[in-house]
Amino acid sequence: MLHIKNLHVSLADGTEIIKGLNLSVGKGEIHAIMGPNGAGKSTLSKAIAGHPGYKVTKGSIEFLGKNLLELSVSERANAGFFIGFQYPLEIAGLGNEEFLRAAIDAKHKALNLPKLSDDEFNKKLENAMQLLEMDSRFKERGLNEGFSGGEKKRNEILQMAMLEPALAFLDETDSGLDIDALRIVANGINNLMNEQRSIVLITHYQRLLDYAKPKFVHVLMDGRIARSGGSELALELEEKGYE
Amino acid sequence: MNSLLFISENVSKKFSLAENECLSILSFNSQNDLSVELCGEGAVFEYRSLSIFGKEEKTEQKIRVAHNAQNTKSFLFARHILSDNSKAVFNGIIEVGKHSSNISSRQLVNSMLLSPNAKVISKPELKIYCDDVECSHGNTCGGLDEDSLFFLQSRGIDSEQAKKILLQAFAADISKKHPNGEQVSIFTNLCLTMYAKEQN
């Protein structure tokens, strides 16, 4: 599904963060990427999403047979790539539901699908909100406006549930969550997993991986995948650290 | 509460508010020169203004509020969305007389400058001759937030639509608390659709 080869990514000031990274993700797989602070985990997901502040200087990203690097940010999203943000931002004045409606409509337009009726949309939203244990007040509120850290992360998974991407990179979705919120988020992730969909969890901790079990664990260090292994690798890292 | 709506007008007017009278004005793309006297105790004046201009357009607003009675309140809130070579001037003048106590007055001007040649001049003037006053004024100025644009695009919304959504969200705060807010959001929508089209 996703094939990243010899990827190099630099910041606008020329600092190279990703230095020759290779990664392949197959259909229906959960992967975990772990690694110390500053190793390039967030840079990797933002570069795949197409953030203008991160320049791909070398290498290739193939996603579902398409050259992802040729696509705009919104085209990448509509091709089925989703990024769950580490620090979800707030947009005052934009209602959460209004925003989700715009995103769903954009997806349907891009894929030449008929527009969802209000009933279909409402039903989909109800189901997604039930999954994330969010009450209906979250519909009317501004996007993440005044949400707690945990609510913002749940709202990210809500967006994922609505947009149904083929591949999601979830960047530290587990950080800042209390035990209940972690359970809700992990439950949401597990519910959304299926044979056609893949999820890459970027995390510092084993605890999320206890709920959402990865098939592969990768260690990202200094801009490259330093090691890969099965789910037992996460346990080893938790015990011994990265050194 | 009395409410007035100005849409694309040139309004030059004087108002005098009696005891507990409340006037709320919503202005869209209007050039106003208003003088408001809060003469009765408990009078409240609210002024909300949204200006969306481009090309060589210029607008100037002068709002004078005189707090001549105690326990009076005023609120001036203006937002500008300026592109091309457009220019907006906002002059909010607050006067609090010697014998007026327990006064609250707030003034806030937020401007979104979408081109390097767009200009805004915000001139708050406070003439206060009394101690028991709570007065504030704020002014912010900036462009579209790149991270917010990226976020919306990362959810599949193209850049034209993402810009429009962010500008609508910025404009929404002005009109949402006014009974005629719905009308203004229709005009806002039209203006921003035109703007987004011109950009692409």
Side-chain angles (χ1 to χ4, degrees):
Chain A
M1 170 183 280
L2 178 77
H3 299 286
I4 302 177
K5 284 185 190 141
N6 191 31
L7 187 73
H8 290 255
V9 180
S10 297
L11 301 180
D13 66 4
T15 316
E16 189 170 61
I17 307 288
I18 301 290
K19 305 166 182 171
L21 180 140
N22 295 295
L23 178 71
S24 284
V25 178
K27 266 188 188 172
E29 294 174 355
I30 297 183
H31 289 235
I33 296 179
M34 304 180 83
N37 292 323
K41 300 187 298 296
S42 295
T43 297
L44 175 64
S45 35
K46 284 186 181 163
I48 301 173
H51 193 293
Y54 300 83
K55 291 271 170 280
V56 173
T57 54
K58 219 170 154 186
S60 64
I61 306 177
E62 188 201 306
F63 176 55
L64 294 170
K66 289 183 183 128
N67 176 2
L68 205 69
L69 298 175
E70 282 180 349
L71 305 181
S72 71
V73 178
S74 57
E75 285 167 345
R76 293 179 198 205
N78 290 324
F81 180 76
F82 180 88
I83 173 172
F85 290 94
Q86 183 179 2
Y87 304 109
L89 49 79
E90 299 184 13
I91 302 181
L94 173 60
N96 212 17
E97 182 178 6
E98 188 189 347
F99 153 67
L100 288 167
R101 180 83 227 197
I104 289 271
D105 286 352
K107 179 187 162 185
H108 279 240
K109 197 175 152 197
L111 301 181
N112 283 323
L113 296 168
K115 196 177 162 174
L116 276 191
S117 71
D118 286 348
D119 278 351
E120 288 166 323
F121 175 81
N122 288 336
K123 198 161 181 201
K124 196 178 169 80
L125 182 56
E126 288 297 328
N127 287 339
M129 291 184 71
Q130 221 166 48
L131 175 65
L132 276 310
E133 300 182 26
M134 294 166 87
D135 67 57
S136 55
R137 279 174 308 160
F138 285 96
K139 288 194 218 171
E140 309 305 329
R141 284 169 68 177
L143 177 69
N144 289 335
E145 205 182 347
F147 284 28
S148 72
E151 286 167 349
K152 285 180 183 172
K153 295 295 175 79
R154 269 149 76 180
N155 209 24
E156 291 289 295
I157 306 300
L158 178 77
Q159 291 159 35
M160 177 179 158
M162 292 298 284
L163 293 170
E164 302 178 283
L167 172 65
F169 263 61
L170 303 180
D171 191 1
E172 295 200 24
T173 297
D174 54 342
S175 64
L177 296 184
D178 62 29
I179 298 165
D180 288 334
L182 180 70
R183 177 188 52 76
I184 293 167
V185 162
N187 182 41
I189 292 171
N190 278 327
N191 250 284
L192 295 172
M193 260 313 281
N194 61 38
E195 286 165 7
Q196 299 301 315
R197 180 169 297 144
S198 305
I199 295 179
V200 177
L201 302 167
I202 295 173
T203 181
H204 278 296
Y205 307 105
Q206 168 63 31
R207 50 176 208 165
L208 175 65
L209 307 180
D210 288 336
Y211 294 97
K213 224 173 171 48
K215 190 172 173 191
F216 299 102
V217 175
H218 310 278
V219 182
L220 181 58
M221 284 181 82
D222 196 26
R224 287 185 201 92
I225 301 288
R227 276 179 80 185
S228 292
S231 58
E232 72 288 343
L233 179 56
L235 290 168
E236 186 194 318
L237 291 170
E238 181 112 318
E239 207 174 297
K240 296 183 182 162
Y242 295 113
E243 294 308 318
Chain B
M1 180 172 54
N2 298 314
S3 57
L4 289 174
L5 176 66
F6 304 153
I7 290 183
S8 303
E9 290 174 71
N10 273 311
V11 183
S12 179
K13 246 186 176 161
K14 286 187 176 170
F15 298 93
S16 173
L17 303 188
E19 195 176 334
N20 292 327
E21 213 179 332
C22 181
L23 173 64
S24 175
I25 291 178
L26 179 60
S27 159
F28 178 77
N29 278 8
S30 295
Q31 179 146 307
N32 304 317
D33 183 352
L34 308 179
S35 176
V36 182
E37 307 260 342
L38 304 177
C39 300
E41 191 178 341
V44 177
F45 175 64
E46 293 178 353
Y47 179 79
R48 292 182 176 83
S49 153
L50 177 64
S51 306
I52 305 176
F53 288 113
K55 304 206 173 68
E56 306 295 322
E57 289 169 317
K58 286 186 173 59
T59 177
E60 186 163 353
Q61 302 196 62
K62 188 173 168 189
I63 314 297
R64 172 185 165 262
V65 184
H67 288 263
N68 294 335
Q70 54 187 5
N71 301 326
T72 50
K73 280 184 188 169
S74 64
F75 178 46
L76 308 184
F77 184 19
R79 282 196 169 170
H80 304 111
I81 297 176
L82 304 172
S83 50
D84 307 323
N85 297 307
S86 58
K87 183 180 167 186
V89 178
F90 189 89
N91 185 196
I93 305 159
I94 305 295
E95 297 171 7
V96 181
K98 259 185 203 162
H99 306 292
S100 309
S101 59
N102 192 24
I103 302 300
S104 156
S105 164
R106 290 188 295 142
Q107 196 173 151
L108 181 63
V109 180
N110 306 124
S111 306
M112 186 82 86
L113 301 181
L114 301 173
S115 104
N117 296 324
K119 274 196 190 110
V120 61
I121 296 172
S122 172
K123 288 193 288 187
E125 287 178 46
L126 307 175
K127 299 172 184 171
I128 298 169
Y129 302 99
C130 164
D131 287 334
D132 189 9
V133 171
E134 202 187 300
C135 262
S136 69
H137 64 89
N139 184 31
T140 68
C141 188
L144 278 170
D145 178 48
E146 291 295 330
D147 284 327
S148 302
L149 270 178
F150 171 69
F151 169 75
L152 292 175
Q153 289 172 267
S154 81
R155 298 303 183 242
I157 297 165
D158 67 30
S159 68
E160 182 183 334
Q161 175 79 359
K163 277 179 196 163
K164 193 181 153 191
I165 287 177
L166 288 181
L167 293 174
Q168 266 171 335
F170 176 75
D173 268 355
I174 288 284
S175 48
K176 70 182 178 195
K177 284 188 181 152
H178 193 272
N180 299 105
E182 194 62 32
Q183 264 166 287
V184 165
S185 37
I186 292 168
F187 282 102
T188 305
N189 206 350
L190 279 173
C191 274
L192 297 179
T193 304
M194 265 159 54
Y195 167 74
K197 279 223 174 89
E198 280 167 18
Q199 294 300 299
N200 280 272

